[in-house]
Amino acid sequence: MDVQAYVHYLSGEENDVLKGLYRQTHLRVPYPEMMSGHGQGRLLAMFSHMIRPDRILEIGTFTGYSAICLAEGLLPRGKLYTIEQNEELTDIAAFFFEKAGLSGKIVQLTGDALVVISELNEKFDIVFIDAAKKRYLDYYHAVFSKVREGGYILIDNILWYGKTANTAVTDATTESLREFNDFVRNDDRVERAVVQNRDGIFILRKK
Ligand code: SAM
């Protein structure tokens, strides 16, 4: 068993809704590897249970796997807003949100994240950034004032298959992520930690 398979094994059984979503995403959607999956899903769910958020914002719904996991820890009155620009993904995510009993808790917003965020009038306890890697700095600046003091920003893929750590790798996506990581590394407004899981998650706490 490789390490990833062992992480999934140790994480216990994936529930039937998430199992179905994982399978349907692989059958029906291009680039299914963009989906969080079981190991990372359990990590996001656990963060959410620890924080007990009232408001969550996700940038990059895809087919909804991470949204369902993050919604697990919401307070009873809580809501998760999730933004996706690809309209072709709306129905599959909506179908599985309903199957998970989360239709009343998850608000799907369609459009470019920067436009949608500018129109949101909420303060968030958790923001999960998981959309276009070259635009992470733009998303970060756009959401920062909408995160409450003491709130968390979780950012996926910051290790980018180990490429951000290797300065010999200079493709545009890696350079953008490295620039973003350096900005956050030096941002006095946050406390930070890195989880070296599948592809790295930055965990930031707004002071
Ligand atoms: N969070 C999902 C999960 O873990 O299952 C995976 C998200 S996938 C890595 C990234 C998604 O972000 C894609 O579905 C893509 O269409 C969307 N996206 C990329 N740029 C975007 C933007 N500027 N605004 C909204 N969505 C965007």
Side-chain angles (χ1 to χ4, degrees):
M1 200 184 282
D2 69 13
V3 172
Q4 198 58 41
Y6 190 56
V7 168
H8 284 198
Y9 164 74
L10 290 179
S11 300
E13 198 60 34
E14 192 178 31
N15 74 38
D16 287 345
V17 174
L18 290 172
K19 224 182 259 177
L21 171 53
Y22 190 82
R23 181 169 163 72
Q24 287 304 316
T25 300
H26 276 88
L27 289 174
R28 292 165 50 188
V29 182
Y31 307 111
E33 65 280 2
M34 292 207 290
M35 177 174 41
S36 278
H38 186 41
Q40 173 147 319
R42 287 307 85 209
L43 187 63
L44 295 172
M46 191 63 82
F47 286 143
S48 184
H49 282 294
M50 288 157 75
I51 297 165
R52 297 297 286 155
D54 180 40
R55 288 288 181 274
I56 303 175
L57 175 65
E58 174 178 66
I59 306 175
T61 315
F62 193 49
T63 54
Y65 195 105
S66 50
I68 291 174
C69 297
L70 282 165
E72 277 186 29
L74 278 172
L75 293 172
R77 64 171 183 282
K79 287 219 182 308
L80 180 149
Y81 295 79
T82 182
I83 308 173
E84 175 55 58
Q85 68 181 5
N86 182 353
E87 291 174 15
E88 292 181 352
L89 298 170
T90 307
D91 289 351
I92 182 167
F95 177 82
F96 281 95
F97 293 158
E98 180 161 8
K99 251 178 137 28
L102 292 168
S103 298
K105 287 188 163 289
I106 297 185
V107 181
Q108 290 180 264
L109 302 168
T110 306
D112 180 75
L114 293 179
V115 177
V116 175
I117 291 165
S118 71
E119 292 163 357
L120 277 176
N121 202 11
E122 295 277 1
K123 282 276 187 193
F124 294 98
D125 305 294
I126 303 177
V127 174
F128 179 49
I129 300 180
D130 189 19
K133 309 308 156 198
K134 288 186 192 162
R135 298 181 74 189
Y136 270 17
L137 203 47
D138 296 332
Y139 304 141
Y140 184 75
H141 289 310
V143 294
F144 200 85
S145 65
K146 304 194 184 218
V147 179
R148 71 160 168 80
E149 281 177 24
Y152 294 84
I153 307 175
L154 311 176
I155 303 140
D156 200 15
N157 306 110
I158 61 153
L159 300 180
W160 204 231
Y161 315 102
K163 291 194 270 187
T164 47
N166 180 358
T167 50
V169 182
T170 57
D171 66 87
T173 305
T174 304
E175 292 274 29
S176 299
L177 277 169
R178 196 178 290 132
E179 187 188 334
F180 170 76
N181 289 345
D182 285 341
F183 182 88
V184 168
R185 154 75 175 73
N186 295 313
D187 188 351
D188 292 340
R189 300 171 301 170
V190 294
E191 293 156 12
R192 62 197 77 68
V194 174
V195 178
Q196 189 186 350
N197 67 331
R198 195 177 65 136
D199 200 19
I201 302 182
F202 237 143
I203 306 171
L204 309 178
R205 182 174 177 276
K206 183 170 169 179
K207 290 181 188 166

